[in-house]
Amino acid sequence: MEKVYLNRNPTAKKILELVQSVDSNQICYDHLAFRTFGVNGYGIDSMAKIFLDFGYEPRDELRFPAKKLKALWFSPPSVPLPDGGSGTNGPLPRIFISELLVDQMSTQTQEIIRKYTDISSCGNEHAALASALGSLTWEKPLFSEFQQLARESEYAAWTLVNGYALNHATISTHQLKFHLRNIKNLNRFIEDNGFKLNSEGGVLKVSPDGLLLQSSTVADSVSFQFSDGITELVPCSYIEFAERLVLPQYKNIPEKEVKEFHRRDGFEVGNADKIFESTSKEQLTRRAA
């Protein structure tokens, strides 16, 4: 999944290389995120299955009424890992899976989504494999169908052409070694190197308790040939950054002794709602300007 993601998204690959070159050869992922259609068994459960099989545990559900989405995150199993592993070879990341509440969409949009999940037959049983291969489990759609979904839900349009692809990986900034472990320093460093960050609600997204700080790039675009022969640029994926601060009850622990469980866990609806906009037309247009 990571290999497909990095091959398709040059911004993510360049930023990972850039951060590694100046701060640390070891980059840890805070979480990996996926998008799904909540219909016909193609929702959260279809992507969650492989992670549950390997010991991940479901945690909190998040709701996004305006976007007609819900999400569930999963915590990784506690397994010993060799020191020095980076990326997917490092500490196991959290998993964040969202789904579009298809039943709440217009009749026309529902028909399009159901058409392709029906065509896919049992493709939902191979969600992880499709993600690892970079393949859709349904046929390529018509450009007019993509446009219809985009008018109503950019999330839906993204999922129609990207399927189970990794939507984003997230660098755990506080696990970096030097000055970039501070997310504000990392944001400045990324912008100074010519990359645009998602500006929705401000570049830095902060949870109400002030302990979860997040930012993200704007998604890359990729050329996609629709089934009617039309080729257009569509949004692909992006890279996110997260700094989890130490919980108040552990504030007196020496910094070198602080572990991940001493830090703020979970996710925040307000932050995630703005991070979703990394694939929006408004942010992509801003990137191209």
Side-chain angles (χ1 to χ4, degrees):
M1 293 176 188
E2 182 192 40
K3 185 176 180 180
V4 169
Y5 165 75
L6 293 176
N7 285 341
R8 283 187 177 174
N9 300 281
T11 294
K13 186 174 183 180
K14 288 175 187 172
I15 286 177
L16 281 170
E17 291 170 351
L18 199 58
V19 172
Q20 285 178 317
S21 71
V22 300
D23 190 287
S24 169
N25 285 323
Q26 181 181 8
I27 287 182
C28 302
Y29 286 143
D30 179 88
H31 66 274
L32 305 179
F34 303 88
R35 295 181 176 184
T36 67
F37 286 135
V39 67
N40 297 342
Y42 281 79
I44 292 169
D45 292 348
S46 63
M47 195 68 221
K49 186 179 184 304
I50 189 169
F51 297 106
L52 294 172
D53 287 347
F54 282 95
Y56 272 78
E57 295 186 0
R59 299 292 295 274
D60 305 318
E61 183 180 283
L62 294 85
R63 290 271 177 171
F64 307 86
K67 286 185 169 64
K68 298 182 173 67
L69 305 174
K70 75 173 182 179
L72 186 64
W73 74 274
F74 301 79
S75 58
S78 298
V79 293
L81 289 166
D83 290 335
S86 186
T88 50
N89 294 314
L92 293 174
R94 300 163 185 80
I95 300 296
F96 183 95
I97 309 174
S98 56
E99 71 175 35
L100 180 73
L101 302 173
V102 177
D103 289 345
Q104 296 182 19
M105 308 305 290
S106 70
T107 301
Q108 190 176 359
T109 289
Q110 285 192 47
E111 286 175 353
I112 293 169
I113 293 170
R114 291 176 190 276
K115 169 186 172 181
Y116 287 98
T117 54
D118 286 348
I119 287 172
S120 179
S121 184
C122 59
N124 57 330
E125 296 175 13
H126 309 289
L129 179 61
S131 185
L133 294 174
S135 303
L136 293 174
T137 63
W138 46 74
E139 294 177 8
K140 287 185 175 183
L142 299 168
F143 181 52
S144 59
E145 293 171 326
F146 173 80
Q147 288 178 305
Q148 162 60 27
L149 264 59
R151 282 192 291 270
E152 188 172 347
S153 165
E154 291 182 306
Y155 178 106
W158 188 95
T159 307
L160 187 67
V161 295
N162 288 282
Y164 289 111
L166 182 59
N167 176 256
H168 65 268
T170 302
I171 294 177
S172 177
T173 66
H174 55 267
Q175 296 196 60
L176 296 172
K177 290 182 179 178
F178 305 113
H179 74 290
L180 295 186
R181 62 185 287 118
N182 179 300
I183 195 169
K184 291 181 182 177
N185 291 341
L186 180 60
N187 287 344
R188 194 176 306 114
F189 173 74
I190 289 168
E191 289 184 319
D192 286 348
N193 277 276
F195 297 100
K196 277 198 168 69
L197 295 175
N198 172 353
S199 62
E200 181 72 21
V203 165
L204 186 64
K205 287 72 166 144
V206 183
S207 61
D209 61 11
L211 299 177
L212 176 60
L213 314 177
Q214 292 167 277
S215 60
S216 62
T217 63
V218 175
D220 279 317
S221 295
V222 63
S223 181
F224 185 93
Q225 185 173 30
F226 292 87
S227 60
D228 48 9
I230 296 172
T231 300
E232 290 286 342
L233 288 176
V234 299
C236 206
S237 302
Y238 57 96
I239 189 165
E240 186 190 322
F241 319 100
E243 181 177 0
R244 298 178 181 273
L245 301 184
V246 176
L247 294 165
Q249 61 266 39
Y250 301 123
K251 65 181 181 182
N252 294 323
I253 295 177
E255 187 176 346
K256 289 185 178 180
E257 296 177 21
V258 171
K259 306 294 183 186
E260 192 70 7
F261 68 84
H262 293 130
R263 297 179 181 275
R264 209 277 200 184
D265 204 359
F267 293 85
E268 192 64 44
V269 167
N271 284 22
D273 187 68
K274 297 177 181 67
I275 294 289
F276 276 127
E277 295 299 313
S278 294
T279 57
S280 72
K281 185 176 181 180
E282 181 180 340
Q283 290 295 322
L284 264 71
T285 304
R286 185 182 143 269
R287 174 184 180 149

mmCIF file of all heavy atoms in Angstrom, residues 37 109 111-117 119 135-150 156-163 224-232 234:
data_model
loop_
_atom_site.group_PDB
_atom_site.id
_atom_site.type_symbol
_atom_site.label_atom_id
_atom_site.label_comp_id
_atom_site.label_asym_id
_atom_site.label_seq_id
_atom_site.Cartn_x
_atom_site.Cartn_y
_atom_site.Cartn_z
ATOM 1 N N PHE A 37 -17.104 3.543 0.459
ATOM 2 C CA PHE A 37 -18.519 3.795 0.235
ATOM 3 C C PHE A 37 -19.333 2.949 1.222
ATOM 4 O O PHE A 37 -19.222 1.708 1.203
ATOM 5 C CB PHE A 37 -18.929 3.395 -1.195
ATOM 6 C CG PHE A 37 -18.467 4.340 -2.269
ATOM 7 C CD1 PHE A 37 -17.897 3.852 -3.441
ATOM 8 C CD2 PHE A 37 -18.629 5.713 -2.126
ATOM 9 C CE1 PHE A 37 -17.491 4.716 -4.453
ATOM 10 C CE2 PHE A 37 -18.218 6.591 -3.136
ATOM 11 C CZ PHE A 37 -17.643 6.093 -4.297
ATOM 12 N N THR A 109 -26.863 10.266 -7.327
ATOM 13 C CA THR A 109 -25.545 9.886 -6.809
ATOM 14 C C THR A 109 -25.569 8.463 -6.260
ATOM 15 O O THR A 109 -24.636 7.682 -6.500
ATOM 16 C CB THR A 109 -25.102 10.889 -5.722
ATOM 17 O OG1 THR A 109 -24.790 12.133 -6.349
ATOM 18 C CG2 THR A 109 -23.877 10.394 -4.979
ATOM 19 N N GLU A 111 -27.438 6.036 -7.265
ATOM 20 C CA GLU A 111 -27.500 5.100 -8.399
ATOM 21 C C GLU A 111 -26.122 4.860 -9.004
ATOM 22 O O GLU A 111 -25.779 3.732 -9.364
ATOM 23 C CB GLU A 111 -28.462 5.636 -9.464
ATOM 24 C CG GLU A 111 -29.930 5.516 -9.077
ATOM 25 C CD GLU A 111 -30.861 6.169 -10.087
ATOM 26 O OE1 GLU A 111 -30.344 6.841 -11.023
ATOM 27 O OE2 GLU A 111 -32.089 6.019 -9.946
ATOM 28 N N ILE A 112 -25.333 5.929 -9.115
ATOM 29 C CA ILE A 112 -23.978 5.792 -9.674
ATOM 30 C C ILE A 112 -23.118 4.919 -8.771
ATOM 31 O O ILE A 112 -22.443 3.989 -9.232
ATOM 32 C CB ILE A 112 -23.327 7.180 -9.876
ATOM 33 C CG1 ILE A 112 -24.069 7.961 -10.966
ATOM 34 C CG2 ILE A 112 -21.841 7.031 -10.238
ATOM 35 C CD1 ILE A 112 -23.664 9.429 -11.053
ATOM 36 N N ILE A 113 -23.133 5.208 -7.485
ATOM 37 C CA ILE A 113 -22.300 4.451 -6.539
ATOM 38 C C ILE A 113 -22.734 2.990 -6.496
ATOM 39 O O ILE A 113 -21.893 2.068 -6.531
ATOM 40 C CB ILE A 113 -22.364 5.087 -5.137
ATOM 41 C CG1 ILE A 113 -21.689 6.466 -5.164
ATOM 42 C CG2 ILE A 113 -21.687 4.178 -4.103
ATOM 43 C CD1 ILE A 113 -21.889 7.285 -3.908
ATOM 44 N N ARG A 114 -24.044 2.747 -6.451
ATOM 45 C CA ARG A 114 -24.546 1.366 -6.406
ATOM 46 C C ARG A 114 -24.230 0.629 -7.715
ATOM 47 O O ARG A 114 -23.957 -0.572 -7.715
ATOM 48 C CB ARG A 114 -26.045 1.350 -6.123
ATOM 49 C CG ARG A 114 -26.390 1.799 -4.706
ATOM 50 C CD ARG A 114 -27.897 1.868 -4.480
ATOM 51 N NE ARG A 114 -28.213 2.509 -3.226
ATOM 52 C CZ ARG A 114 -28.242 1.908 -2.039
ATOM 53 N NH1 ARG A 114 -27.963 0.618 -1.971
ATOM 54 N NH2 ARG A 114 -28.543 2.569 -0.939
ATOM 55 N N LYS A 115 -24.253 1.345 -8.822
ATOM 56 C CA LYS A 115 -23.912 0.741 -10.126
ATOM 57 C C LYS A 115 -22.518 0.128 -10.076
ATOM 58 O O LYS A 115 -22.317 -1.026 -10.501
ATOM 59 C CB LYS A 115 -23.977 1.817 -11.228
ATOM 60 C CG LYS A 115 -23.400 1.375 -12.570
ATOM 61 C CD LYS A 115 -23.371 2.543 -13.565
ATOM 62 C CE LYS A 115 -22.630 2.194 -14.846
ATOM 63 N NZ LYS A 115 -22.590 3.345 -15.798
ATOM 64 N N TYR A 116 -21.561 0.874 -9.537
ATOM 65 C CA TYR A 116 -20.175 0.387 -9.554
ATOM 66 C C TYR A 116 -19.877 -0.614 -8.444
ATOM 67 O O TYR A 116 -19.087 -1.544 -8.658
ATOM 68 C CB TYR A 116 -19.200 1.575 -9.550
ATOM 69 C CG TYR A 116 -19.202 2.244 -10.907
ATOM 70 C CD1 TYR A 116 -19.962 3.386 -11.150
ATOM 71 C CD2 TYR A 116 -18.522 1.669 -11.973
ATOM 72 C CE1 TYR A 116 -20.018 3.962 -12.412
ATOM 73 C CE2 TYR A 116 -18.568 2.234 -13.238
ATOM 74 C CZ TYR A 116 -19.321 3.378 -13.453
ATOM 75 O OH TYR A 116 -19.379 3.910 -14.720
ATOM 76 N N THR A 117 -20.504 -0.475 -7.308
ATOM 77 C CA THR A 117 -20.306 -1.502 -6.276
ATOM 78 C C THR A 117 -20.999 -2.801 -6.692
ATOM 79 O O THR A 117 -20.507 -3.891 -6.375
ATOM 80 C CB THR A 117 -20.804 -1.021 -4.894
ATOM 81 O OG1 THR A 117 -22.168 -0.581 -4.991
ATOM 82 C CG2 THR A 117 -19.936 0.101 -4.366
ATOM 83 N N ILE A 119 -21.316 -3.790 -9.906
ATOM 84 C CA ILE A 119 -20.418 -4.321 -10.947
ATOM 85 C C ILE A 119 -19.243 -5.051 -10.298
ATOM 86 O O ILE A 119 -18.784 -6.089 -10.775
ATOM 87 C CB ILE A 119 -19.890 -3.182 -11.849
ATOM 88 C CG1 ILE A 119 -20.998 -2.678 -12.778
ATOM 89 C CG2 ILE A 119 -18.678 -3.637 -12.672
ATOM 90 C CD1 ILE A 119 -20.615 -1.426 -13.561
ATOM 91 N N SER A 135 -5.304 -1.004 -7.562
ATOM 92 C CA SER A 135 -6.354 -1.299 -8.537
ATOM 93 C C SER A 135 -7.739 -0.953 -7.986
ATOM 94 O O SER A 135 -7.978 -1.052 -6.779
ATOM 95 C CB SER A 135 -6.345 -2.796 -8.898
ATOM 96 O OG SER A 135 -5.089 -3.182 -9.400
ATOM 97 N N LEU A 136 -8.639 -0.583 -8.883
ATOM 98 C CA LEU A 136 -10.040 -0.429 -8.506
ATOM 99 C C LEU A 136 -10.692 -1.806 -8.468
ATOM 100 O O LEU A 136 -10.298 -2.704 -9.213
ATOM 101 C CB LEU A 136 -10.776 0.447 -9.524
ATOM 102 C CG LEU A 136 -10.385 1.931 -9.605
ATOM 103 C CD1 LEU A 136 -11.115 2.593 -10.773
ATOM 104 C CD2 LEU A 136 -10.711 2.650 -8.302
ATOM 105 N N THR A 137 -11.708 -1.962 -7.623
ATOM 106 C CA THR A 137 -12.441 -3.232 -7.613
ATOM 107 C C THR A 137 -13.667 -3.152 -8.515
ATOM 108 O O THR A 137 -14.440 -4.093 -8.606
ATOM 109 C CB THR A 137 -12.887 -3.611 -6.179
ATOM 110 O OG1 THR A 137 -13.793 -2.612 -5.689
ATOM 111 C CG2 THR A 137 -11.697 -3.725 -5.242
ATOM 112 N N TRP A 138 -13.857 -2.015 -9.161
ATOM 113 C CA TRP A 138 -14.946 -1.844 -10.120
ATOM 114 C C TRP A 138 -14.386 -1.254 -11.411
ATOM 115 O O TRP A 138 -13.226 -0.850 -11.467
ATOM 116 C CB TRP A 138 -16.053 -0.947 -9.563
ATOM 117 C CG TRP A 138 -15.562 0.323 -8.906
ATOM 118 C CD1 TRP A 138 -15.075 1.440 -9.523
ATOM 119 C CD2 TRP A 138 -15.491 0.583 -7.508
ATOM 120 N NE1 TRP A 138 -14.722 2.387 -8.595
ATOM 121 C CE2 TRP A 138 -14.963 1.888 -7.339
ATOM 122 C CE3 TRP A 138 -15.833 -0.155 -6.369
ATOM 123 C CZ2 TRP A 138 -14.768 2.467 -6.083
ATOM 124 C CZ3 TRP A 138 -15.633 0.426 -5.117
ATOM 125 C CH2 TRP A 138 -15.106 1.721 -4.996
ATOM 126 N N GLU A 139 -15.213 -1.214 -12.448
ATOM 127 C CA GLU A 139 -14.769 -0.652 -13.720
ATOM 128 C C GLU A 139 -14.580 0.857 -13.619
ATOM 129 O O GLU A 139 -15.170 1.508 -12.756
ATOM 130 C CB GLU A 139 -15.817 -0.958 -14.811
ATOM 131 C CG GLU A 139 -15.949 -2.441 -15.138
ATOM 132 C CD GLU A 139 -17.037 -2.686 -16.169
ATOM 133 O OE1 GLU A 139 -17.563 -1.694 -16.731
ATOM 134 O OE2 GLU A 139 -17.357 -3.855 -16.421
ATOM 135 N N LYS A 140 -13.780 1.400 -14.529
ATOM 136 C CA LYS A 140 -13.613 2.852 -14.561
ATOM 137 C C LYS A 140 -14.943 3.510 -14.911
ATOM 138 O O LYS A 140 -15.676 3.033 -15.779
ATOM 139 C CB LYS A 140 -12.548 3.243 -15.593
ATOM 140 C CG LYS A 140 -11.127 2.914 -15.166
ATOM 141 C CD LYS A 140 -10.134 3.434 -16.192
ATOM 142 C CE LYS A 140 -8.694 3.224 -15.722
ATOM 143 N NZ LYS A 140 -7.722 3.797 -16.681
ATOM 144 N N PRO A 141 -15.264 4.621 -14.245
ATOM 145 C CA PRO A 141 -16.546 5.287 -14.500
ATOM 146 C C PRO A 141 -16.504 6.205 -15.711
ATOM 147 O O PRO A 141 -15.437 6.458 -16.285
ATOM 148 C CB PRO A 141 -16.743 6.107 -13.222
ATOM 149 C CG PRO A 141 -15.344 6.465 -12.816
ATOM 150 C CD PRO A 141 -14.512 5.257 -13.157
ATOM 151 N N LEU A 142 -17.677 6.717 -16.086
ATOM 152 C CA LEU A 142 -17.780 7.774 -17.096
ATOM 153 C C LEU A 142 -17.369 9.095 -16.466
ATOM 154 O O LEU A 142 -17.558 9.316 -15.256
ATOM 155 C CB LEU A 142 -19.219 7.894 -17.602
ATOM 156 C CG LEU A 142 -19.837 6.675 -18.296
ATOM 157 C CD1 LEU A 142 -21.335 6.871 -18.456
ATOM 158 C CD2 LEU A 142 -19.171 6.442 -19.641
ATOM 159 N N PHE A 143 -16.832 9.990 -17.255
ATOM 160 C CA PHE A 143 -16.442 11.304 -16.734
ATOM 161 C C PHE A 143 -17.661 12.056 -16.202
ATOM 162 O O PHE A 143 -17.588 12.722 -15.165
ATOM 163 C CB PHE A 143 -15.749 12.126 -17.817
ATOM 164 C CG PHE A 143 -15.292 13.489 -17.348
ATOM 165 C CD1 PHE A 143 -14.511 13.637 -16.216
ATOM 166 C CD2 PHE A 143 -15.669 14.637 -18.049
ATOM 167 C CE1 PHE A 143 -14.094 14.893 -15.780
ATOM 168 C CE2 PHE A 143 -15.271 15.896 -17.620
ATOM 169 C CZ PHE A 143 -14.479 16.021 -16.482
ATOM 170 N N SER A 144 -18.809 11.918 -16.872
ATOM 171 C CA SER A 144 -20.029 12.610 -16.422
ATOM 172 C C SER A 144 -20.472 12.115 -15.048
ATOM 173 O O SER A 144 -21.027 12.882 -14.253
ATOM 174 C CB SER A 144 -21.158 12.416 -17.438
ATOM 175 O OG SER A 144 -21.440 11.038 -17.610
ATOM 176 N N GLU A 145 -20.209 10.853 -14.754
ATOM 177 C CA GLU A 145 -20.566 10.293 -13.439
ATOM 178 C C GLU A 145 -19.638 10.852 -12.353
ATOM 179 O O GLU A 145 -20.090 11.177 -11.249
ATOM 180 C CB GLU A 145 -20.483 8.770 -13.487
ATOM 181 C CG GLU A 145 -21.541 8.151 -14.393
ATOM 182 C CD GLU A 145 -21.342 6.668 -14.626
ATOM 183 O OE1 GLU A 145 -20.177 6.199 -14.677
ATOM 184 O OE2 GLU A 145 -22.349 5.962 -14.766
ATOM 185 N N PHE A 146 -18.371 10.959 -12.690
ATOM 186 C CA PHE A 146 -17.414 11.578 -11.758
ATOM 187 C C PHE A 146 -17.838 13.016 -11.459
ATOM 188 O O PHE A 146 -17.829 13.456 -10.304
ATOM 189 C CB PHE A 146 -16.009 11.541 -12.368
ATOM 190 C CG PHE A 146 -14.974 12.297 -11.581
ATOM 191 C CD1 PHE A 146 -14.380 11.744 -10.451
ATOM 192 C CD2 PHE A 146 -14.583 13.579 -11.972
ATOM 193 C CE1 PHE A 146 -13.421 12.450 -9.722
ATOM 194 C CE2 PHE A 146 -13.628 14.291 -11.248
ATOM 195 C CZ PHE A 146 -13.055 13.724 -10.121
ATOM 196 N N GLN A 147 -18.240 13.747 -12.493
ATOM 197 C CA GLN A 147 -18.663 15.139 -12.325
ATOM 198 C C GLN A 147 -19.908 15.245 -11.450
ATOM 199 O O GLN A 147 -20.003 16.126 -10.594
ATOM 200 C CB GLN A 147 -18.929 15.776 -13.684
ATOM 201 C CG GLN A 147 -17.678 16.053 -14.507
ATOM 202 C CD GLN A 147 -18.018 16.639 -15.861
ATOM 203 O OE1 GLN A 147 -18.784 16.070 -16.632
ATOM 204 N NE2 GLN A 147 -17.465 17.818 -16.147
ATOM 205 N N GLN A 148 -20.863 14.335 -11.646
ATOM 206 C CA GLN A 148 -22.078 14.342 -10.840
ATOM 207 C C GLN A 148 -21.735 14.146 -9.363
ATOM 208 O O GLN A 148 -22.220 14.870 -8.492
ATOM 209 C CB GLN A 148 -23.036 13.242 -11.310
ATOM 210 C CG GLN A 148 -24.141 12.850 -10.320
ATOM 211 C CD GLN A 148 -25.077 13.986 -9.945
ATOM 212 O OE1 GLN A 148 -25.264 14.916 -10.718
ATOM 213 N NE2 GLN A 148 -25.648 13.930 -8.744
ATOM 214 N N LEU A 149 -20.879 13.180 -9.070
ATOM 215 C CA LEU A 149 -20.491 12.939 -7.675
ATOM 216 C C LEU A 149 -19.738 14.133 -7.101
ATOM 217 O O LEU A 149 -19.981 14.541 -5.965
ATOM 218 C CB LEU A 149 -19.637 11.670 -7.573
ATOM 219 C CG LEU A 149 -20.408 10.389 -7.206
ATOM 220 C CD1 LEU A 149 -21.498 10.088 -8.223
ATOM 221 C CD2 LEU A 149 -19.438 9.207 -7.077
ATOM 222 N N ALA A 150 -18.850 14.718 -7.898
ATOM 223 C CA ALA A 150 -18.044 15.844 -7.424
ATOM 224 C C ALA A 150 -18.906 17.045 -7.060
ATOM 225 O O ALA A 150 -18.587 17.790 -6.120
ATOM 226 C CB ALA A 150 -17.010 16.240 -8.473
ATOM 227 N N ALA A 156 -16.965 11.551 -2.414
ATOM 228 C CA ALA A 156 -17.521 10.478 -3.249
ATOM 229 C C ALA A 156 -16.783 10.380 -4.577
ATOM 230 O O ALA A 156 -16.451 9.274 -5.045
ATOM 231 C CB ALA A 156 -19.009 10.725 -3.491
ATOM 232 N N ALA A 157 -16.521 11.529 -5.205
ATOM 233 C CA ALA A 157 -15.816 11.542 -6.488
ATOM 234 C C ALA A 157 -14.406 10.977 -6.331
ATOM 235 O O ALA A 157 -13.931 10.200 -7.166
ATOM 236 C CB ALA A 157 -15.767 12.965 -7.041
ATOM 237 N N TRP A 158 -13.735 11.352 -5.241
ATOM 238 C CA TRP A 158 -12.383 10.843 -4.980
ATOM 239 C C TRP A 158 -12.405 9.320 -4.869
ATOM 240 O O TRP A 158 -11.583 8.620 -5.471
ATOM 241 C CB TRP A 158 -11.815 11.449 -3.691
ATOM 242 C CG TRP A 158 -10.371 11.134 -3.457
ATOM 243 C CD1 TRP A 158 -9.299 11.904 -3.793
ATOM 244 C CD2 TRP A 158 -9.827 9.932 -2.863
ATOM 245 N NE1 TRP A 158 -8.124 11.262 -3.445
ATOM 246 C CE2 TRP A 158 -8.416 10.061 -2.879
ATOM 247 C CE3 TRP A 158 -10.395 8.775 -2.329
ATOM 248 C CZ2 TRP A 158 -7.572 9.073 -2.373
ATOM 249 C CZ3 TRP A 158 -9.550 7.777 -1.839
ATOM 250 C CH2 TRP A 158 -8.153 7.923 -1.864
ATOM 251 N N THR A 159 -13.362 8.805 -4.107
ATOM 252 C CA THR A 159 -13.430 7.362 -3.867
ATOM 253 C C THR A 159 -13.778 6.600 -5.135
ATOM 254 O O THR A 159 -13.292 5.487 -5.362
ATOM 255 C CB THR A 159 -14.448 7.063 -2.748
ATOM 256 O OG1 THR A 159 -14.129 7.860 -1.594
ATOM 257 C CG2 THR A 159 -14.421 5.601 -2.339
ATOM 258 N N LEU A 160 -14.584 7.188 -5.995
ATOM 259 C CA LEU A 160 -14.966 6.530 -7.245
ATOM 260 C C LEU A 160 -13.755 6.250 -8.135
ATOM 261 O O LEU A 160 -13.694 5.212 -8.792
ATOM 262 C CB LEU A 160 -15.980 7.397 -8.001
ATOM 263 C CG LEU A 160 -16.602 6.769 -9.264
ATOM 264 C CD1 LEU A 160 -17.486 5.581 -8.897
ATOM 265 C CD2 LEU A 160 -17.403 7.808 -10.048
ATOM 266 N N VAL A 161 -12.783 7.167 -8.157
ATOM 267 C CA VAL A 161 -11.622 6.990 -9.049
ATOM 268 C C VAL A 161 -10.370 6.470 -8.335
ATOM 269 O O VAL A 161 -9.421 6.038 -8.990
ATOM 270 C CB VAL A 161 -11.277 8.304 -9.805
ATOM 271 C CG1 VAL A 161 -12.410 8.676 -10.740
ATOM 272 C CG2 VAL A 161 -10.973 9.440 -8.836
ATOM 273 N N ASN A 162 -10.378 6.492 -7.002
ATOM 274 C CA ASN A 162 -9.213 5.994 -6.251
ATOM 275 C C ASN A 162 -9.478 4.703 -5.491
ATOM 276 O O ASN A 162 -8.549 4.006 -5.095
ATOM 277 C CB ASN A 162 -8.718 7.055 -5.262
ATOM 278 C CG ASN A 162 -8.028 8.215 -5.933
ATOM 279 O OD1 ASN A 162 -6.879 8.117 -6.339
ATOM 280 N ND2 ASN A 162 -8.737 9.335 -6.069
ATOM 281 N N GLY A 163 -10.764 4.402 -5.265
ATOM 282 C CA GLY A 163 -11.111 3.172 -4.568
ATOM 283 C C GLY A 163 -10.490 3.072 -3.189
ATOM 284 O O GLY A 163 -10.515 4.019 -2.400
ATOM 285 N N PHE A 224 -6.232 10.646 -15.287
ATOM 286 C CA PHE A 224 -7.111 9.477 -15.206
ATOM 287 C C PHE A 224 -7.925 9.376 -16.488
ATOM 288 O O PHE A 224 -8.573 10.343 -16.892
ATOM 289 C CB PHE A 224 -8.047 9.616 -13.994
ATOM 290 C CG PHE A 224 -8.915 8.415 -13.726
ATOM 291 C CD1 PHE A 224 -8.504 7.424 -12.848
ATOM 292 C CD2 PHE A 224 -10.163 8.282 -14.335
ATOM 293 C CE1 PHE A 224 -9.301 6.314 -12.585
ATOM 294 C CE2 PHE A 224 -10.974 7.182 -14.086
ATOM 295 C CZ PHE A 224 -10.542 6.198 -13.207
ATOM 296 N N GLN A 225 -7.889 8.222 -17.132
ATOM 297 C CA GLN A 225 -8.686 8.028 -18.347
ATOM 298 C C GLN A 225 -10.002 7.338 -17.980
ATOM 299 O O GLN A 225 -10.017 6.211 -17.486
ATOM 300 C CB GLN A 225 -7.945 7.182 -19.386
ATOM 301 C CG GLN A 225 -8.732 7.074 -20.698
ATOM 302 C CD GLN A 225 -7.945 6.374 -21.794
ATOM 303 O OE1 GLN A 225 -7.113 5.525 -21.516
ATOM 304 N NE2 GLN A 225 -8.212 6.728 -23.046
ATOM 305 N N PHE A 226 -11.094 8.043 -18.212
ATOM 306 C CA PHE A 226 -12.415 7.516 -17.906
ATOM 307 C C PHE A 226 -12.846 6.531 -18.989
ATOM 308 O O PHE A 226 -12.241 6.450 -20.067
ATOM 309 C CB PHE A 226 -13.409 8.671 -17.764
ATOM 310 C CG PHE A 226 -13.155 9.523 -16.544
ATOM 311 C CD1 PHE A 226 -12.266 10.599 -16.597
ATOM 312 C CD2 PHE A 226 -13.775 9.226 -15.341
ATOM 313 C CE1 PHE A 226 -12.003 11.364 -15.469
ATOM 314 C CE2 PHE A 226 -13.520 9.985 -14.210
ATOM 315 C CZ PHE A 226 -12.631 11.053 -14.274
ATOM 316 N N SER A 227 -13.915 5.770 -18.711
ATOM 317 C CA SER A 227 -14.326 4.697 -19.618
ATOM 318 C C SER A 227 -14.818 5.208 -20.973
ATOM 319 O O SER A 227 -14.840 4.457 -21.956
ATOM 320 C CB SER A 227 -15.417 3.840 -18.965
ATOM 321 O OG SER A 227 -16.562 4.621 -18.662
ATOM 322 N N ASP A 228 -15.191 6.487 -21.034
ATOM 323 C CA ASP A 228 -15.636 7.055 -22.316
ATOM 324 C C ASP A 228 -14.488 7.677 -23.109
ATOM 325 O O ASP A 228 -14.708 8.375 -24.093
ATOM 326 C CB ASP A 228 -16.747 8.085 -22.093
ATOM 327 C CG ASP A 228 -16.411 9.080 -20.995
ATOM 328 O OD1 ASP A 228 -15.242 9.075 -20.531
ATOM 329 O OD2 ASP A 228 -17.291 9.852 -20.588
ATOM 330 N N GLY A 229 -13.246 7.440 -22.640
ATOM 331 C CA GLY A 229 -12.071 7.908 -23.364
ATOM 332 C C GLY A 229 -11.579 9.288 -22.963
ATOM 333 O O GLY A 229 -10.505 9.721 -23.385
ATOM 334 N N ILE A 230 -12.353 9.997 -22.151
ATOM 335 C CA ILE A 230 -11.944 11.329 -21.694
ATOM 336 C C ILE A 230 -10.844 11.189 -20.640
ATOM 337 O O ILE A 230 -10.941 10.357 -19.738
ATOM 338 C CB ILE A 230 -13.152 12.096 -21.108
ATOM 339 C CG1 ILE A 230 -14.203 12.344 -22.192
ATOM 340 C CG2 ILE A 230 -12.703 13.416 -20.475
ATOM 341 C CD1 ILE A 230 -15.507 12.930 -21.665
ATOM 342 N N THR A 231 -9.797 11.982 -20.772
ATOM 343 C CA THR A 231 -8.698 11.972 -19.794
ATOM 344 C C THR A 231 -8.664 13.318 -19.081
ATOM 345 O O THR A 231 -8.610 14.367 -19.721
ATOM 346 C CB THR A 231 -7.350 11.707 -20.488
ATOM 347 O OG1 THR A 231 -7.401 10.424 -21.139
ATOM 348 C CG2 THR A 231 -6.211 11.711 -19.475
ATOM 349 N N GLU A 232 -8.711 13.263 -17.770
ATOM 350 C CA GLU A 232 -8.705 14.476 -16.953
ATOM 351 C C GLU A 232 -7.828 14.270 -15.729
ATOM 352 O O GLU A 232 -7.583 13.133 -15.303
ATOM 353 C CB GLU A 232 -10.133 14.827 -16.493
ATOM 354 C CG GLU A 232 -11.070 15.316 -17.585
ATOM 355 C CD GLU A 232 -10.768 16.734 -18.027
ATOM 356 O OE1 GLU A 232 -10.079 17.466 -17.277
ATOM 357 O OE2 GLU A 232 -11.230 17.123 -19.125
ATOM 358 N N VAL A 234 -7.388 14.187 -11.850
ATOM 359 C CA VAL A 234 -8.244 13.967 -10.683
ATOM 360 C C VAL A 234 -7.353 13.995 -9.433
ATOM 361 O O VAL A 234 -6.155 13.724 -9.510
ATOM 362 C CB VAL A 234 -8.995 12.626 -10.772
ATOM 363 C CG1 VAL A 234 -9.909 12.593 -11.996
ATOM 364 C CG2 VAL A 234 -8.029 11.452 -10.781
#
